Amino acid sequence: MFLEVDIYKKLSEFDLDVHFKIDEICLGVMGPSGSGKSMTLKCIAGIETPDSGRIVLDGRVLYDSNQHINLSPQERNIGYMFQNYALFPNMTVYDNIASPLVARRLDKTIIHDSVIRLMKELHIEGLEKRYPRQLSGGQKQRVALARLLIYNAEAILLDEPFSALDEDLKGELLKEMKTKLDAYHRPVVFVSHNKDEIKTLSHEMYIIKKGEMIHEEIS
Ligand SMILES: Nc1ncnc2c1ncn2[C@@H]1O[C@H](COP(=O)(O)OP(=O)(O)OP(=O)(O)O)[C@@H](O)[C@H]1O
């Protein structure tokens, strides 16, 4: 599996001009606020459209401005975890986690088994019937992580997934995320302001400044 990204997009204050190719590793991306990190992930996920370029995931063209290819986020099959968890507020925890499998019309027993297994693994069993507003920040992030991991996403994009957590909780979730990602063997792009988080999770690192990515050794 590999993810190849060559995108150009005019933004309000500068141009986003991003190029990288990764295989089954976690690529850490750091950079100042407003430098284009979230926009890069949104273009890869298909939520925003670049002005030109090409995005290829394991040989599948997701976006190509010359060929007029622009797959929808669902067709891309990429897992995306936002800064603000983005759980569905009117759905229970169970339904939130199950939603990617329900959308794929999987058998109810298979969905049930997968939800229960992931809830156990992420230590959120017992919360099935709660709504997101009845959860702590850490619980919400675990639910978002379970929903991300429940389906067979071909790549994962993480945008500041630990930003709202206190240090203890962050450390704990970081460990769980590392275990999950180590077993995942697919391309992962991880955006963070925090170098320690990048060091823990990532194999390679880029710094993004005003829309341009520069490779940097993780030291
Ligand atoms: N739809 C858009 N069209 C044009 N410019 C945009 C759009 N959305 C965001 N921008 C601008 O693009 C730049 C990059 O924004 P982006 O959200 O990618 O930053 P970021 O690096 O993720 O910042 P932060 O760390 O604060 O989340 C900002 O200057 C922002 O104002």
mmCIF file of all heavy atoms in Angstrom, residues 1 6 9 18 23 41 55 60 64 77 110 127-128 133 140 159 163-164 185-186 195 207 216 219:
data_model
loop_
_atom_site.group_PDB
_atom_site.id
_atom_site.type_symbol
_atom_site.label_atom_id
_atom_site.label_comp_id
_atom_site.label_asym_id
_atom_site.label_seq_id
_atom_site.Cartn_x
_atom_site.Cartn_y
_atom_site.Cartn_z
ATOM 1 N N MET A 1 0.837 -1.207 0.000
ATOM 2 C CA MET A 1 0.000 0.000 0.000
ATOM 3 C C MET A 1 0.874 1.260 0.000
ATOM 4 O O MET A 1 1.836 1.325 0.764
ATOM 5 C CB MET A 1 -0.833 0.042 1.278
ATOM 6 C CG MET A 1 -1.952 -0.946 1.301
ATOM 7 S SD MET A 1 -3.468 -0.101 0.857
ATOM 8 C CE MET A 1 -4.585 -1.471 0.840
ATOM 9 N N ASP A 6 0.322 14.836 -4.687
ATOM 10 C CA ASP A 6 0.896 16.001 -5.370
ATOM 11 C C ASP A 6 -0.245 16.977 -5.560
ATOM 12 O O ASP A 6 -1.062 16.783 -6.467
ATOM 13 C CB ASP A 6 1.435 15.607 -6.763
ATOM 14 C CG ASP A 6 2.717 14.841 -6.657
ATOM 15 O OD1 ASP A 6 3.722 15.440 -6.250
ATOM 16 O OD2 ASP A 6 2.695 13.633 -6.959
ATOM 17 N N LYS A 9 -3.049 24.179 -4.325
ATOM 18 C CA LYS A 9 -4.307 24.897 -4.101
ATOM 19 C C LYS A 9 -4.022 26.316 -3.640
ATOM 20 O O LYS A 9 -3.235 26.530 -2.722
ATOM 21 C CB LYS A 9 -5.159 24.170 -3.051
ATOM 22 C CG LYS A 9 -6.542 24.797 -2.844
ATOM 23 C CD LYS A 9 -7.362 23.941 -1.883
ATOM 24 C CE LYS A 9 -8.694 24.549 -1.519
ATOM 25 N NZ LYS A 9 -9.687 24.598 -2.583
ATOM 26 N N VAL A 18 1.984 20.760 -2.032
ATOM 27 C CA VAL A 18 2.386 19.624 -1.196
ATOM 28 C C VAL A 18 2.684 18.395 -2.046
ATOM 29 O O VAL A 18 1.897 18.036 -2.927
ATOM 30 C CB VAL A 18 1.247 19.323 -0.178
ATOM 31 C CG1 VAL A 18 1.411 17.950 0.422
ATOM 32 C CG2 VAL A 18 1.205 20.372 0.917
ATOM 33 N N ASP A 23 4.716 4.756 2.053
ATOM 34 C CA ASP A 23 4.093 3.424 2.014
ATOM 35 C C ASP A 23 3.456 3.162 3.374
ATOM 36 O O ASP A 23 2.815 4.047 3.931
ATOM 37 C CB ASP A 23 5.061 2.350 1.521
ATOM 38 C CG ASP A 23 6.360 2.360 2.310
ATOM 39 O OD1 ASP A 23 6.383 2.952 3.400
ATOM 40 O OD2 ASP A 23 7.336 1.772 1.848
ATOM 41 N N LEU A 41 -4.928 17.533 4.681
ATOM 42 C CA LEU A 41 -5.690 16.308 5.000
ATOM 43 C C LEU A 41 -7.069 16.330 4.354
ATOM 44 O O LEU A 41 -7.551 15.310 3.855
ATOM 45 C CB LEU A 41 -5.832 16.150 6.522
ATOM 46 C CG LEU A 41 -4.560 15.931 7.332
ATOM 47 C CD1 LEU A 41 -4.910 15.411 8.725
ATOM 48 C CD2 LEU A 41 -3.598 14.972 6.672
ATOM 49 N N ILE A 55 -3.740 12.553 -6.617
ATOM 50 C CA ILE A 55 -3.644 11.777 -5.371
ATOM 51 C C ILE A 55 -3.920 10.322 -5.722
ATOM 52 O O ILE A 55 -4.965 10.009 -6.323
ATOM 53 C CB ILE A 55 -4.666 12.274 -4.319
ATOM 54 C CG1 ILE A 55 -4.465 13.761 -4.015
ATOM 55 C CG2 ILE A 55 -4.547 11.450 -3.030
ATOM 56 C CD1 ILE A 55 -5.575 14.391 -3.181
ATOM 57 N N ARG A 60 -4.847 3.297 -7.010
ATOM 58 C CA ARG A 60 -6.185 3.814 -7.301
ATOM 59 C C ARG A 60 -6.112 5.343 -7.360
ATOM 60 O O ARG A 60 -5.713 5.972 -6.392
ATOM 61 C CB ARG A 60 -7.106 3.410 -6.144
ATOM 62 C CG ARG A 60 -8.474 2.946 -6.538
ATOM 63 C CD ARG A 60 -9.111 2.124 -5.417
ATOM 64 N NE ARG A 60 -8.975 2.647 -4.085
ATOM 65 C CZ ARG A 60 -9.869 3.444 -3.481
ATOM 66 N NH1 ARG A 60 -10.947 3.834 -4.104
ATOM 67 N NH2 ARG A 60 -9.687 3.841 -2.239
ATOM 68 N N ASP A 64 -7.337 13.460 -9.923
ATOM 69 C CA ASP A 64 -6.389 13.814 -10.980
ATOM 70 C C ASP A 64 -7.009 14.944 -11.785
ATOM 71 O O ASP A 64 -8.020 14.739 -12.472
ATOM 72 C CB ASP A 64 -6.088 12.591 -11.866
ATOM 73 C CG ASP A 64 -4.947 12.880 -12.828
ATOM 74 O OD1 ASP A 64 -4.926 13.983 -13.407
ATOM 75 O OD2 ASP A 64 -4.068 12.011 -12.995
ATOM 76 N N ASN A 77 -12.439 5.708 0.612
ATOM 77 C CA ASN A 77 -12.194 4.718 1.674
ATOM 78 C C ASN A 77 -11.003 5.084 2.570
ATOM 79 O O ASN A 77 -10.122 4.268 2.840
ATOM 80 C CB ASN A 77 -12.010 3.322 1.056
ATOM 81 C CG ASN A 77 -12.243 2.223 2.072
ATOM 82 O OD1 ASN A 77 -12.992 2.410 3.045
ATOM 83 N ND2 ASN A 77 -11.588 1.103 1.909
ATOM 84 N N ILE A 110 -22.384 -9.327 12.417
ATOM 85 C CA ILE A 110 -20.974 -8.959 12.194
ATOM 86 C C ILE A 110 -20.723 -7.560 12.763
ATOM 87 O O ILE A 110 -19.724 -7.313 13.444
ATOM 88 C CB ILE A 110 -20.624 -8.995 10.687
ATOM 89 C CG1 ILE A 110 -20.719 -10.439 10.171
ATOM 90 C CG2 ILE A 110 -19.234 -8.410 10.425
ATOM 91 C CD1 ILE A 110 -20.555 -10.587 8.681
ATOM 92 N N LEU A 127 -20.598 1.861 27.552
ATOM 93 C CA LEU A 127 -21.067 3.204 27.159
ATOM 94 C C LEU A 127 -21.995 3.154 25.936
ATOM 95 O O LEU A 127 -22.386 4.200 25.405
ATOM 96 C CB LEU A 127 -19.871 4.108 26.816
ATOM 97 C CG LEU A 127 -18.837 4.351 27.914
ATOM 98 C CD1 LEU A 127 -17.721 5.258 27.405
ATOM 99 C CD2 LEU A 127 -19.495 4.969 29.143
ATOM 100 N N GLU A 128 -22.365 1.946 25.503
ATOM 101 C CA GLU A 128 -23.105 1.772 24.249
ATOM 102 C C GLU A 128 -24.284 2.714 24.069
ATOM 103 O O GLU A 128 -24.527 3.239 22.987
ATOM 104 C CB GLU A 128 -23.668 0.337 24.137
ATOM 105 C CG GLU A 128 -22.672 -0.757 23.926
ATOM 106 C CD GLU A 128 -22.058 -1.257 25.227
ATOM 107 O OE1 GLU A 128 -22.040 -0.499 26.219
ATOM 108 O OE2 GLU A 128 -21.575 -2.398 25.246
ATOM 109 N N ARG A 133 -22.854 13.803 24.071
ATOM 110 C CA ARG A 133 -22.864 14.872 25.089
ATOM 111 C C ARG A 133 -22.713 14.315 26.499
ATOM 112 O O ARG A 133 -22.410 15.050 27.437
ATOM 113 C CB ARG A 133 -24.138 15.716 24.983
ATOM 114 C CG ARG A 133 -25.399 14.950 25.269
ATOM 115 C CD ARG A 133 -26.662 15.810 25.273
ATOM 116 N NE ARG A 133 -27.824 14.986 25.569
ATOM 117 C CZ ARG A 133 -28.463 14.239 24.682
ATOM 118 N NH1 ARG A 133 -28.063 14.243 23.418
ATOM 119 N NH2 ARG A 133 -29.483 13.501 25.026
ATOM 120 N N LYS A 140 -14.921 10.481 24.301
ATOM 121 C CA LYS A 140 -15.317 10.852 22.935
ATOM 122 C C LYS A 140 -14.221 10.480 21.942
ATOM 123 O O LYS A 140 -14.490 9.982 20.857
ATOM 124 C CB LYS A 140 -15.549 12.366 22.846
ATOM 125 C CG LYS A 140 -16.897 12.805 23.318
ATOM 126 C CD LYS A 140 -17.044 14.296 23.031
ATOM 127 C CE LYS A 140 -18.005 14.897 24.025
ATOM 128 N NZ LYS A 140 -18.034 16.331 24.049
ATOM 129 N N ASP A 159 -5.931 14.390 12.508
ATOM 130 C CA ASP A 159 -5.699 15.828 12.621
ATOM 131 C C ASP A 159 -5.797 16.235 14.091
ATOM 132 O O ASP A 159 -6.896 16.371 14.630
ATOM 133 C CB ASP A 159 -6.748 16.576 11.779
ATOM 134 C CG ASP A 159 -6.379 18.036 11.589
ATOM 135 O OD1 ASP A 159 -5.416 18.497 12.229
ATOM 136 O OD2 ASP A 159 -7.062 18.720 10.803
ATOM 137 N N SER A 163 -5.592 16.820 20.909
ATOM 138 C CA SER A 163 -5.443 18.224 21.312
ATOM 139 C C SER A 163 -6.301 18.614 22.511
ATOM 140 O O SER A 163 -5.919 19.476 23.290
ATOM 141 C CB SER A 163 -5.750 19.146 20.140
ATOM 142 O OG SER A 163 -7.050 18.899 19.684
ATOM 143 N N ALA A 164 -7.457 17.964 22.679
ATOM 144 C CA ALA A 164 -8.363 18.402 23.751
ATOM 145 C C ALA A 164 -8.147 17.644 25.068
ATOM 146 O O ALA A 164 -8.931 17.786 25.991
ATOM 147 C CB ALA A 164 -9.798 18.230 23.284
ATOM 148 N N HIS A 185 -0.448 -1.359 9.306
ATOM 149 C CA HIS A 185 0.282 -1.583 8.049
ATOM 150 C C HIS A 185 -0.358 -0.931 6.829
ATOM 151 O O HIS A 185 -0.547 -1.571 5.788
ATOM 152 C CB HIS A 185 0.470 -3.081 7.790
ATOM 153 C CG HIS A 185 1.193 -3.769 8.892
ATOM 154 N ND1 HIS A 185 2.440 -3.372 9.329
ATOM 155 C CD2 HIS A 185 0.837 -4.798 9.681
ATOM 156 C CE1 HIS A 185 2.820 -4.142 10.325
ATOM 157 N NE2 HIS A 185 1.859 -5.012 10.574
ATOM 158 N N ARG A 186 -0.731 0.317 6.971
ATOM 159 C CA ARG A 186 -1.260 1.105 5.852
ATOM 160 C C ARG A 186 -0.734 2.532 6.015
ATOM 161 O O ARG A 186 -0.273 2.897 7.090
ATOM 162 C CB ARG A 186 -2.792 1.141 5.907
ATOM 163 C CG ARG A 186 -3.413 -0.230 5.935
ATOM 164 C CD ARG A 186 -4.364 -0.415 4.800
ATOM 165 N NE ARG A 186 -4.677 -1.805 4.638
ATOM 166 C CZ ARG A 186 -5.906 -2.287 4.537
ATOM 167 N NH1 ARG A 186 -6.924 -1.463 4.591
ATOM 168 N NH2 ARG A 186 -6.106 -3.552 4.350
ATOM 169 N N LYS A 195 5.860 17.704 19.207
ATOM 170 C CA LYS A 195 6.934 16.859 18.672
ATOM 171 C C LYS A 195 7.011 15.506 19.375
ATOM 172 O O LYS A 195 7.355 14.493 18.756
ATOM 173 C CB LYS A 195 8.275 17.583 18.749
ATOM 174 C CG LYS A 195 9.306 16.932 17.864
ATOM 175 C CD LYS A 195 10.442 17.835 17.521
ATOM 176 C CE LYS A 195 11.336 17.146 16.509
ATOM 177 N NZ LYS A 195 12.529 17.903 16.215
ATOM 178 N N ILE A 207 7.885 19.174 8.053
ATOM 179 C CA ILE A 207 7.429 20.452 8.607
ATOM 180 C C ILE A 207 6.717 21.173 7.469
ATOM 181 O O ILE A 207 7.225 21.189 6.344
ATOM 182 C CB ILE A 207 8.624 21.335 9.049
ATOM 183 C CG1 ILE A 207 9.536 20.591 10.013
ATOM 184 C CG2 ILE A 207 8.143 22.658 9.625
ATOM 185 C CD1 ILE A 207 9.019 20.464 11.411
ATOM 186 N N GLU A 216 12.144 16.480 7.463
ATOM 187 C CA GLU A 216 13.045 16.736 8.599
ATOM 188 C C GLU A 216 13.287 15.430 9.357
ATOM 189 O O GLU A 216 12.362 14.622 9.507
ATOM 190 C CB GLU A 216 12.410 17.783 9.513
ATOM 191 C CG GLU A 216 13.346 18.191 10.616
ATOM 192 C CD GLU A 216 13.058 19.594 11.156
ATOM 193 O OE1 GLU A 216 12.948 20.541 10.363
ATOM 194 O OE2 GLU A 216 12.954 19.698 12.383
ATOM 195 N N SER A 219 14.393 13.747 15.549
ATOM 196 C CA SER A 219 15.506 13.549 16.494
ATOM 197 C C SER A 219 15.010 13.681 17.923
ATOM 198 O O SER A 219 13.956 14.217 18.168
ATOM 199 C CB SER A 219 16.590 14.578 16.222
ATOM 200 O OG SER A 219 16.004 15.858 16.241
#
